[in-house]
């Protein structure tokens, strides 16, 4: 069983930065890939970024490439999402997720079997 808890969301002006954290409770955190997703009001949840078990492989959505950075610290059971140059369109609830069942990393939400409760990010113009 894995529990994920996000933190670090908040209100920021356009052009600003936030760093989200996702703390995992399991003892095998380093054994699975992690992802970040977001859901804006009235829209479907979408992929943001994913990182492999070791951190060697990373995927980004085109909309955040060059602005967001995903990383992980396996010693702390934590995955991060550094968000720079934020835009109002980045406003959403951000979720971290764990894929404990598959090898490799994916952008597909259906591969992720554990989810956090989400943290709100609001970017004002």
């Amino acid at each position: 069983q894995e529990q994920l808890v996000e933190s670090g969301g908040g209100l920021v002006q356009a052009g600003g930065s936030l760093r989200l954290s996702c703390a995992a409770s399991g003892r095998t955190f380093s054994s699975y890939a992690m992802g970040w997703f977001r859901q804006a009001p009235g829209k479907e949840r979408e992929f943001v970024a994913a990182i492999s078990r070791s951190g060697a492989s990373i995927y980004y959505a085109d909309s955040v490439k060059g602005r967001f950075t995903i990383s992980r610290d396996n010693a702390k059971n934590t995955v991060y999402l550094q968000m720079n140059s934020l835009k109002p369109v980045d406003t959403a609830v951000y979720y971290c997720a764990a894929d404990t069942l598959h090898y490799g990393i994916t952008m597909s939400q259906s591969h992720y079997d554990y989810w956090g409760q989400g943290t709100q990010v609001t970017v004002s113009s």
Side-chain angles (χ1 to χ4, degrees), residues 19-114:
R19 188 175 84 152
L20 305 183
S21 299
C22 173
S25 64
R27 293 180 292 179
T28 57
F29 177 77
S30 61
S31 300
Y32 40 83
M34 297 293 296
W36 285 97
F37 296 81
R38 67 186 182 185
Q39 187 167 20
K43 295 188 176 181
E44 295 186 352
R45 190 165 56 189
E46 64 177 5
F47 169 78
V48 175
I51 188 167
S52 63
R53 298 176 294 174
S54 67
S57 295
I58 289 174
Y59 292 163
Y60 292 104
D62 288 342
S63 58
V64 306
K65 205 170 292 183
R67 300 187 298 122
F68 290 11
T69 302
I70 188 172
S71 62
R72 67 189 297 162
D73 185 338
N74 287 340
K76 296 182 178 180
N77 280 15
T78 302
V79 62
Y80 305 96
L81 185 68
Q82 177 67 42
M83 306 186 294
N84 298 330
S85 302
L86 282 161
K87 306 174 182 179
V89 295
D90 295 318
T91 295
V93 177
Y94 284 72
Y95 300 89
C96 70
D99 176 3
T100 69
L101 301 177
H102 303 90
Y103 185 82
I105 61 173
T106 178
M107 297 180 286
S108 173
Q109 295 186 48
S110 63
H111 278 220
Y112 291 84
D113 50 324
Y114 290 97

